[in-house]
Amino acid sequence: MYKKFIRPILFLINPEKTHDIIFFFIKIFFKIPLVKFFVYKIYSNEDERLNIELFDLKFKNRIGLAAGFDKNAKLLNELECFGFSHIEVGTITPKAQSGNPKPRLFRLSSENALINRMGFNNDGVETILKRIKRYKGKLIIGANIGKNKSTPIDNSAYDYLYCFKKLRNFVNYFVINISSPNTPGLRKLQSKNYLNKLIETIQKENCSKKTIVPVLIKIAPDLSFKEIDDIIEICLKHNIDGIIATNTTLSRKNITSNYLAEEGGLSGNPLKERSNEIIRYIKKKSNKKIKIIGVGGIFNSKDVKEKIKLGADLIQVYTGWVYEGPSMVKKINSSLLKMKKEN
């Protein structure tokens, strides 16, 4: 129903406007009595055999919603009903910022892809924290944190540390986003010297308290293997819990869409091959010591199983969910459950 009737209508509208419209209607729709109950029943798959423990956290299944969809933690209660085990909020910066000029989100329907150059548009850590505090559900909540555009690259660590301190008692894990292509200079933080200083700062604060919060790093798919080696080395040195592989790509390899020339990060099906390649590499190079959340080009259970086979411990979706619709997560989990039964 979604792909035949709803998606064609939604895809007639500007992608960012569509996103806002969906948020508005979900919020209104879920105010109707019993709607939340029935949506949960239709789209969730509760089975203990899907459970997985990672970072000392119990995930009800492997599938989460990647950062960027609910940047500002506005729909945590509602999105929980669609079967996700975890949702990553953000990217969150210390101060609110409007992001890059519009239009900044583009659909490449023929490629099953999106291009975005949002630029860390978000309501700021103080406002987002208030919403996270109000959430009382069972989702694992991750905070994807970054720096404000106006913060000089040499002072980036202070922005990340500020968000970390504000949020640490209210989220289950953190993701250090150093890989968005849409904030000038941000990807420099993936280089050895910058990253070592940043992670050292975060982990020093993390280990100063009784409860240590899991910390992951989100990396770009455009890195060389030598650069990935440096990141793995730093992760092992500072006891980083995991790597999210990967963020969006600047590559336009094999893309034929009219939006080919648009700047920004490409996500969706064209990212799948490179994401898989990096997952495989990290798992082998780290000797399975680093946990991996696989992101990029996930549309069905086959894509999920492939990433798990290559080394991903958890999976996150975004573009695939936009294209496949609300039943996607349940379909994937049902397939994973069937595979478990057969084994």
Side-chain angles (χ1 to χ4, degrees):
M1 181 179 172
Y2 172 80
K3 289 169 83 171
K4 282 187 177 179
F5 302 109
I6 299 173
R7 192 178 76 178
I9 295 168
L10 292 175
F11 277 25
L12 293 172
I13 308 166
N14 168 281
E16 192 167 354
K17 267 187 185 167
T18 302
H19 191 270
D20 294 340
I21 289 167
I22 289 170
F23 266 52
F24 174 78
F25 278 108
I26 287 178
K27 206 72 180 172
I28 297 297
F29 188 55
F30 272 72
K31 290 184 186 296
I32 301 170
L34 296 178
V35 162
K36 185 176 179 181
F37 172 80
F38 284 113
V39 172
Y40 193 89
K41 283 289 183 185
I42 293 167
Y43 293 114
S44 289
N45 192 335
E46 295 292 331
D47 194 303
E48 288 187 358
R49 287 170 294 180
L50 293 169
N51 294 174
I52 179 170
E53 288 197 23
L54 204 67
F55 319 128
D56 291 325
L57 299 169
K58 187 176 180 180
F59 294 80
K60 67 178 183 179
N61 60 61
R62 292 181 187 263
I63 316 299
L65 186 60
F69 193 88
D70 191 9
K71 287 174 176 284
N72 295 306
K74 288 182 174 181
L75 286 183
L76 295 178
N77 288 293
E78 293 82 1
L79 289 171
E80 181 173 8
C81 298
F82 294 97
F84 299 107
S85 65
H86 64 286
I87 288 181
E88 204 166 291
V89 176
T91 296
I92 306 167
T93 56
K95 299 174 186 174
Q97 57 182 29
S98 58
N100 293 323
K102 298 177 183 180
R104 54 193 181 182
L105 183 60
F106 308 90
R107 285 190 208 95
L108 287 67
S109 298
S110 60
E111 318 280 357
N112 279 346
L114 297 171
I115 290 175
N116 93 81
R117 50 170 181 264
M118 305 300 286
F120 286 176
N121 56 309
N122 74 105
D123 293 339
V125 68
E126 300 286 354
T127 300
I128 294 170
L129 176 56
K130 288 175 186 174
R131 296 186 187 125
I132 291 172
K133 283 180 178 179
R134 290 197 294 265
Y135 174 67
K136 302 299 179 187
K138 296 179 181 178
L139 283 168
I140 299 291
I141 303 296
N144 184 301
I145 57 176
K147 82 172 193 73
N148 280 113
K149 186 177 181 179
S150 59
T151 302
I153 194 75
D154 289 333
N155 296 336
S156 299
Y158 301 111
D159 277 15
Y160 287 90
L161 184 60
Y162 184 85
C163 291
F164 185 87
K165 285 181 174 180
K166 285 284 181 183
L167 295 162
R168 69 166 298 151
N169 294 324
F170 305 99
V171 299
N172 301 107
Y173 71 89
F174 280 92
V175 176
I176 311 298
N177 189 348
I178 49 173
S179 53
S180 169
N182 303 316
T183 295
L186 186 81
R187 286 190 168 187
K188 286 183 183 176
L189 296 175
Q190 295 176 118
S191 64
K192 197 169 185 178
N193 290 337
Y194 277 116
L195 183 58
N196 192 62
K197 179 186 173 185
L198 172 59
I199 297 307
E200 191 172 26
T201 302
I202 294 294
Q203 288 295 65
K204 185 178 178 182
E205 169 62 25
N206 197 9
C207 296
S208 70
K209 306 290 190 237
K210 257 187 181 179
T211 304
I212 296 175
V213 188
V215 174
L216 294 84
I217 296 172
K218 189 165 188 174
I219 65 171
D222 308 313
L223 295 166
S224 68
F225 288 126
K226 173 64 176 67
E227 290 170 318
I228 295 172
D229 288 345
D230 290 341
I231 290 171
I232 291 170
E233 181 186 325
I234 290 167
C235 285
L236 294 173
K237 176 183 174 183
H238 293 293
N239 296 315
I240 289 298
D241 295 272
I243 291 175
I244 298 189
T246 62
N247 212 319
T248 56
T249 181
L250 291 172
S251 170
R252 298 295 186 263
K253 184 181 177 182
N254 299 325
I255 296 296
T256 58
S257 167
N258 293 334
Y259 294 113
L260 176 63
E262 293 292 348
E263 294 180 356
L266 176 71
S267 64
N269 196 55
L271 183 58
K272 176 164 48 182
E273 187 179 326
R274 181 58 177 164
S275 168
N276 288 348
E277 190 177 19
I278 290 176
I279 289 168
R280 183 195 297 114
Y281 186 82
I282 293 170
K283 187 59 75 172
K284 185 178 179 181
K285 191 72 179 181
S286 72
N287 198 24
K288 300 182 180 179
K289 290 178 181 176
I290 295 175
K291 301 301 180 185
I292 300 169
I293 298 181
V295 192
I298 299 162
F299 289 79
N300 51 49
S301 59
K302 182 184 175 184
D303 298 330
V304 169
K305 290 171 187 174
E306 187 175 17
K307 276 184 165 49
I308 292 170
K309 186 178 179 182
L310 292 171
D313 301 282
L314 293 175
I315 302 296
Q316 288 180 350
V317 299
Y318 183 148
T319 304
W321 202 54
V322 170
Y323 279 90
E324 295 298 311
S327 62
M328 174 190 178
V329 178
K330 185 169 185 178
K331 286 177 182 176
I332 290 171
N333 280 323
S334 296
S335 179
L336 293 177
L337 201 54
K338 186 179 177 184
M339 186 173 72
K340 279 183 175 288
K341 287 176 182 176
E342 289 171 355
N343 292 339

